[in-house]
Amino acid sequence: MISQFRQERPDQRSSAPIQLGELLRAPDSPPGPLPSAPSPGPTGGEDRETGRKDGTERVRKKSGGTESSLGTSSLFRKLRSSNRGELDGGKGETVEDRGMRGAINSSYKSWVCPKSFVHFDAQSILFDLHEAAAQRGFVTRRGRGEGWLRKSNASMSVVEVATEEQATRLERLKLYSIEHVDLGARYYRDYFHGKEHSNYFGTDDKLGPVALSIRREKLEDTKDLKDQYQYRLIVRTSELVTLRGSILEDAVASTGKQGTVRGLPLKEVLEQVVPELNVSCLRLALSTAKVTEQLLKLDEQGLSQKHKVGVLLCRAGQSTEEEMYNNEEASPAFSAFLELLGEQVLLKGFTKYAAQLDTKTDSTGTHSLYTTYQGYEIMFHVSTMLPYMPSNPQQLLRKRHIGNDIVTIIFQEPGALSFTPQNIRSHFQHVFVIVRVHNPCSENTYYSVAVTRMKDVPPFGPPIPSGVTFRDPETFRNFLLAKVINAENAAHKSEKFHTMATRTRQEYLRDLAENYVSSTPLDSAGKLNNLISLASKKRERTKAREGAELGAAGAVAWRVQAQDFSGGGGAELPCALGVSAEYIVLIDCSTKEVVFNCFCADVIGWTPERLALKIFYGRGDHIAVRVPEGGAQDIREMVQRLKLLTVGCETVDMTLRRNGLGQLGFHVRLDGTVAEVEEYGFAWQAGLRQGSRLVEICKVAAVTLTHEQMIDLLRTSVTVKVVIIPPYEEGGPRRCVAVCVWFPLKPSFILCEKRKRANREKERCVAEEEAGEMRHTDKKKEAFV
């Protein structure tokens, strides 16, 4: 067990490995004071968090609990609790901090982007002008960034996916996801740079320095619409969250004529999207290469394809920093691990990413370890490859590199003592990945992994499944490389790095607003029009085309209350529902995290009500959202969007009667699809057809039932009421493109264990069916009711 660690925010994606205690404590070593730490188990998180009492000491705080992941504790509640844990007990927070933050909260009201604006990425949905203004005031007074408004989107980023990339969606899922990367930051490079566009900079009284990029582009003509234009927009404030996306020209209420070469007054476009922004402060940017360079740096300051990772050897009987740094040479087990991890390269003359190692004079050693993974370069600072100095017990030449790495791999040989980060004296190391080798240098060699992180570093994947050890070298290598990349990305969302990034962003914006603007205001065209209008009747604005955005590729967003099924109580959570041509996402408005996402191609049906909507996906699971009174139009828009972008359809309620023998008159498969219906029987007369999918049986979600339970419910219920998703016109059942693939950081609608077992059984059935191995007459695979 990791000494001095606490678990107040368990990683919701996986349970802790059964061997966690063995990983972090030698089997024959005495436990000492460790029993006071939380015990590892199948319901615990995969990693541990740590905080600092002062510059060097890390202390354990009271555990937040390790409630069962089988549905007895609401995951949404855990997410909210973890967020409150950061807010109420942040490092170094003073009474003054809390008082000032309370003042901000009392006057803060969430800003909602108009639905006519279509978002390019998930983080854009979180953009909040009011929040940016409030946070700016707080940062200015305190001179530091607080974690209470920090955003985290894990592997979910860009939602406006190009058509050619949509065809590779399943291929992308075969790789470990790279998380905590704002890929939407490339929006300016991909859609503005090198194309005709305008940049405007200025200083808003409330928001501070602001940078705006806007580009008008013509869309391809369709059968119904011609001469269509849209405006791509980027609105940058001092907050790291950025508004990125587009608005159709005919979705703008304007005095100008839509669809012409000239376009609309930019002031009116901005008034539609961000009416709170004082456009009179904006000035046209200078048309210089320096402006473009600054904007690219500003947007992509958080993107890096280069990572440096420390690797420390911990031999049998060792646990301290000095002992690990003083291992002069690599052991056979360590050498085998390094060979698995990367390629040994000669440093002199090395031209790729060197991570501050000397490539000219060998002052940092002659060789190092280097590799690439999914386009990322990784240079490892390996302790035994860095210079060894017998006269320097602290081995400062080694520690100078490894001690300044954000992520460090601790390689434990059999017999290594318990690892505790309290033994590591560094202000910079935020994450430790502990790898223990078992049966080294044999045919039965395997590895187990555990992770520790600072308390303000958010969780990251890939998850470590309970009880899993790694025997296949290639699988282990891919897992570990993804883990260390995600670890560093997540660490950059900690308070220290978030503060530095915010300050850097503020300096970039201030420099642009003060030194790279012309004297041309954004609303100059509007003033010219006003002068002309003095001699004529003032022109009225044309109305925006209602629902113009519903066919767009990016994400249209609505504010909803999402029902949380994970805790069994059906509590509701304020969320933003985003629907793009590729994804459906739910973002928790309190934690600012994507808590659910699936492909639009996975949607198989929906049940609309006046103020509520169920969206069925995968094998028949669903999410349920509700809008406030007066929001019926939102539900109609959501349904229209689903009709345009998915192959699903509206569900049908049926009440089924029994014949004289007590039979309903149809065959049902393991996955809930109807295999055969007796012609002209009661079920046939009710409208049930082959290929229909049962998603609810007597108000019970079919996906939660085993095949036996489903059959028992159909055969024994006095009144059989079902909700079905009708088949395609040709009779085939509606299916998803992936078998309930979950790939966000925290899938909040977690299946309970019973549902998992049922789904595994149904997935086997579907796999056999798709392979042509299932027959309608196979009574083991279907049943007559």
Side-chain angles (χ1 to χ4, degrees):
M1 186 57 223
I2 301 176
S3 177
Q4 301 299 326
F5 270 65
R6 65 190 179 90
Q7 184 186 357
E8 72 178 16
R9 291 185 302 162
D11 187 333
Q12 303 298 339
R13 296 155 300 152
S14 68
S15 301
I18 293 174
Q19 295 89 350
L20 182 61
E22 179 187 353
L23 276 173
L24 307 172
R25 181 173 62 239
D28 55 348
S29 63
L34 295 179
S36 62
S39 300
T43 60
E46 67 160 329
D47 53 33
R48 295 286 184 245
E49 300 169 349
T50 178
R52 292 180 188 271
K53 187 175 181 181
D54 53 33
T56 59
E57 183 183 0
R58 306 184 186 204
V59 297
R60 181 180 69 251
K61 294 189 178 180
K62 184 177 179 181
S63 170
T66 55
E67 294 166 298
S68 171
S69 61
L70 305 183
T72 60
S73 176
S74 168
L75 188 97
F76 275 149
R77 194 177 306 116
K78 291 179 182 177
L79 289 178
R80 290 198 295 273
S81 297
S82 69
N83 191 56
R84 285 197 300 269
E86 287 186 359
L87 307 189
D88 299 339
K91 292 193 300 182
E93 183 178 68
T94 65
V95 174
E96 183 183 355
D97 291 334
R98 291 193 294 271
M100 294 171 67
R101 196 179 64 210
I104 294 172
N105 281 333
S106 64
S107 61
Y108 172 74
K109 182 179 180 181
S110 179
W111 180 84
V112 179
C113 188
K115 289 195 296 288
S116 54
F117 186 81
V118 180
H119 299 273
F120 177 73
D121 55 359
Q123 66 86 48
S124 176
I125 298 174
L126 302 172
F127 182 81
D128 189 329
L129 273 179
H130 297 166
E131 183 176 300
Q135 181 73 343
R136 170 182 172 258
F138 184 69
V139 172
T140 301
R141 289 194 298 270
R142 294 297 302 162
R144 58 192 285 253
E146 284 294 307
W148 66 288
L149 293 176
R150 190 165 57 249
K151 315 300 184 291
S152 176
N153 291 311
S155 62
M156 193 68 217
S157 187
V158 174
V159 293
E160 184 184 324
V161 180
T163 306
E164 57 271 17
E165 294 180 22
Q166 293 178 15
T168 64
R169 59 171 69 98
L170 294 183
E171 290 297 318
R172 297 197 302 270
L173 292 180
K174 294 179 181 179
L175 302 172
Y176 287 115
S177 295
I178 301 300
E179 300 174 350
H180 296 284
V181 183
D182 179 17
L183 296 177
R186 296 196 181 101
Y187 190 47
Y188 182 78
R189 181 182 295 276
D190 294 340
Y191 290 91
F192 293 78
H193 184 41
K195 302 175 177 66
E196 184 178 350
H197 69 282
S198 299
N199 298 308
Y200 291 89
F201 309 141
T203 303
D204 185 278
D205 292 338
K206 294 182 179 179
L207 299 171
V210 176
L212 168 75
S213 297
I214 187 164
R215 174 177 170 241
R216 185 177 187 249
E217 64 179 11
K218 192 176 187 306
L219 302 179
E220 293 184 8
D221 292 341
T222 64
K223 181 180 178 181
D224 301 322
L225 297 169
K226 298 186 185 301
D227 295 326
Q228 275 259 297
Y229 290 85
Q230 71 175 5
Y231 291 89
R232 290 194 179 272
L233 279 167
I234 304 177
V235 180
R236 309 171 185 88
T237 67
S238 294
E239 276 294 281
L240 298 183
V241 178
T242 305
L243 185 68
R244 307 185 191 110
S246 59
I247 184 169
L248 287 168
E249 193 164 78
D250 57 359
V252 178
S254 174
T255 57
K257 189 175 181 181
Q258 298 158 342
T260 65
V261 176
R262 181 178 180 182
L264 306 180
L266 297 185
K267 178 182 178 182
E268 295 178 352
V269 177
L270 290 179
E271 286 175 346
Q272 179 87 8
V273 179
V274 281
E276 294 84 357
L277 177 63
N278 180 15
V279 295
S280 64
C281 75
L282 298 175
R283 296 293 182 269
L284 182 66
L286 299 178
S287 182
T288 65
K290 184 66 174 177
V291 167
T292 301
E293 179 187 341
Q294 290 280 75
L295 285 175
L296 288 171
K297 287 182 178 178
L298 172 65
D299 286 354
E300 299 177 11
Q301 69 179 82
L303 297 182
S304 175
Q305 296 290 105
K306 297 175 172 60
H307 292 263
K308 55 191 181 78
V309 178
V311 186
L312 275 171
L313 169 61
C314 185
R315 293 178 182 265
Q318 294 183 344
S319 65
T320 68
E321 181 179 48
E322 286 77 11
E323 289 170 334
M324 289 187 275
Y325 276 117
N326 276 280
N327 289 318
E328 184 174 356
E329 296 180 350
S331 64
F334 191 44
S335 296
F337 171 69
L338 296 178
E339 185 177 342
L340 176 153
L341 202 56
E343 172 191 2
Q344 182 171 297
V345 296
L346 186 69
L347 282 177
K348 185 174 287 186
F350 188 72
T351 57
K352 297 178 182 178
Y353 177 57
Q356 291 83 50
L357 295 175
D358 184 2
T359 60
K360 295 180 180 179
T361 65
D362 290 339
S363 65
T364 56
T366 59
H367 293 78
S368 191
L369 195 70
Y370 171 88
T371 194
T372 59
Y373 182 73
Q374 292 195 43
Y376 289 82
E377 291 185 87
I378 307 174
M379 176 62 82
F380 296 94
H381 290 148
V382 182
S383 60
T384 56
M385 290 184 174
L386 293 166
Y388 175 76
M389 300 180 66
S391 60
N392 185 351
Q394 292 186 337
Q395 298 300 329
L396 293 180
L397 283 180
R398 291 178 168 183
K399 188 172 182 179
R400 180 164 64 92
H401 290 285
I402 298 176
N404 285 314
D405 291 335
I406 296 173
V407 180
T408 305
I409 296 174
I410 306 295
F411 181 80
Q412 292 183 327
E413 294 187 340
L417 302 181
S418 171
F419 170 78
T420 169
Q422 194 174 21
N423 291 342
I424 305 294
R425 295 185 297 275
S426 169
H427 293 278
F428 213 71
Q429 290 165 295
H430 280 57
V431 180
F432 295 94
V433 179
I434 300 95
V435 175
R436 180 179 284 272
V437 61
H438 304 265
N439 306 320
C441 303
S442 71
E443 295 182 356
N444 193 33
T445 299
Y446 64 94
Y447 301 89
S448 45
V449 179
V451 175
T452 75
R453 54 188 165 87
M454 292 291 289
K455 67 175 183 180
D456 58 348
V457 174
F460 52 88
I464 304 174
S466 175
V468 165
T469 55
F470 296 89
R471 298 177 183 272
D472 178 64
E474 185 65 21
T475 300
F476 179 51
R477 176 183 182 274
N478 293 339
F479 171 88
L480 195 56
L481 294 179
K483 195 72 174 175
V484 297
I485 291 171
N486 291 339
E488 182 164 337
N489 292 339
H492 277 281
K493 294 191 173 181
S494 67
E495 181 179 340
K496 176 178 180 178
F497 292 104
H498 182 270
T499 300
M500 291 191 296
T502 302
R503 286 177 177 169
T504 301
R505 184 178 180 87
Q506 289 174 340
E507 290 304 314
Y508 271 124
L509 287 170
R510 188 176 296 111
D511 184 41
L512 289 170
E514 293 176 357
N515 302 315
Y516 293 94
V517 292
S518 67
S519 58
T520 306
L522 179 138
D523 58 355
S524 59
K527 291 180 180 178
L528 179 63
N529 289 338
N530 289 337
L531 290 174
I532 297 173
S533 67
L534 292 176
S536 61
K537 184 179 179 181
K538 187 175 180 181
R539 186 171 181 179
E540 293 184 0
R541 294 197 179 196
T542 57
K543 288 186 177 181
R545 178 163 64 91
E546 189 175 348
E549 70 283 352
L550 294 180
V556 180
W558 297 267
R559 292 301 172 104
V560 299
Q561 294 286 328
Q563 192 171 2
D564 169 22
F565 303 106
S566 60
E572 290 187 333
L573 184 75
C575 284
L577 172 68
V579 182
S580 74
E582 179 73 344
Y583 295 111
I584 293 177
V585 296
L586 270 176
I587 303 177
D588 183 341
C589 290
S590 58
T591 64
K592 313 294 184 182
E593 293 179 336
V594 175
V595 290
F596 167 83
N597 57 288
C598 72
F599 293 122
C600 280
D602 284 335
V603 173
I604 56 177
W606 51 84
T607 302
E609 297 178 6
R610 191 176 70 87
L611 297 175
L613 179 69
K614 287 182 181 178
I615 301 176
F616 293 89
Y617 63 93
R619 299 295 180 208
D621 213 332
H622 73 274
I623 58 172
V625 299
R626 182 179 59 82
V627 296
E629 192 66 43
Q633 177 61 26
D634 287 352
I635 299 296
R636 290 192 289 269
E637 290 171 353
M638 294 174 198
V639 170
Q640 185 179 348
R641 185 90 164 131
L642 292 173
K643 286 180 179 178
L644 288 170
L645 301 176
T646 76
V647 296
C649 66
E650 188 170 332
T651 60
V652 177
D653 293 351
M654 290 184 180
T655 300
L656 304 179
R657 299 163 54 199
R658 302 185 186 278
N659 60 22
L661 299 176
Q663 299 169 335
L664 296 174
F666 63 92
H667 293 257
V668 62
R669 296 174 181 158
L670 274 70
D671 64 348
T673 58
V674 175
E676 189 177 347
V677 185
E678 287 185 348
E679 282 195 49
Y680 308 112
F682 287 148
W684 175 280
Q685 293 175 26
L688 193 66
R689 294 293 183 270
Q690 180 176 325
S692 299
R693 181 182 293 275
L694 304 179
V695 290
E696 288 184 12
I697 303 171
C698 301
K699 298 185 178 181
V700 178
V703 74
T704 66
L705 303 171
T706 64
H707 193 227
E708 291 74 17
Q709 291 171 331
M710 189 187 308
I711 299 307
D712 185 63
L713 198 58
L714 289 169
R715 285 176 174 168
T716 60
S717 299
V718 177
T719 302
V720 179
K721 293 186 176 182
V722 296
V723 177
I724 66 128
I725 296 176
Y728 293 115
E729 291 182 2
E730 63 273 17
R734 298 179 190 269
R735 296 199 186 282
C736 60
V737 298
V739 184
C740 291
V741 177
W742 290 95
F743 56 103
L745 172 69
K746 295 177 180 176
S748 290
F749 298 91
I750 295 290
L751 303 177
C752 66
E753 192 62 33
K754 180 176 71 173
R755 189 181 302 181
K756 288 179 181 177
R757 289 196 299 269
N759 275 355
R760 283 196 292 268
E761 184 181 10
K762 294 172 184 178
E763 287 165 15
R764 286 196 300 271
C765 160
V766 171
E768 292 174 357
E769 179 184 14
E770 292 174 347
E773 299 173 3
M774 178 179 286
R775 299 292 180 268
H776 293 295
T777 56
D778 189 343
K779 301 305 178 184
K780 294 181 181 179
K781 300 294 191 300
E782 63 181 57
F784 180 75
V785 292

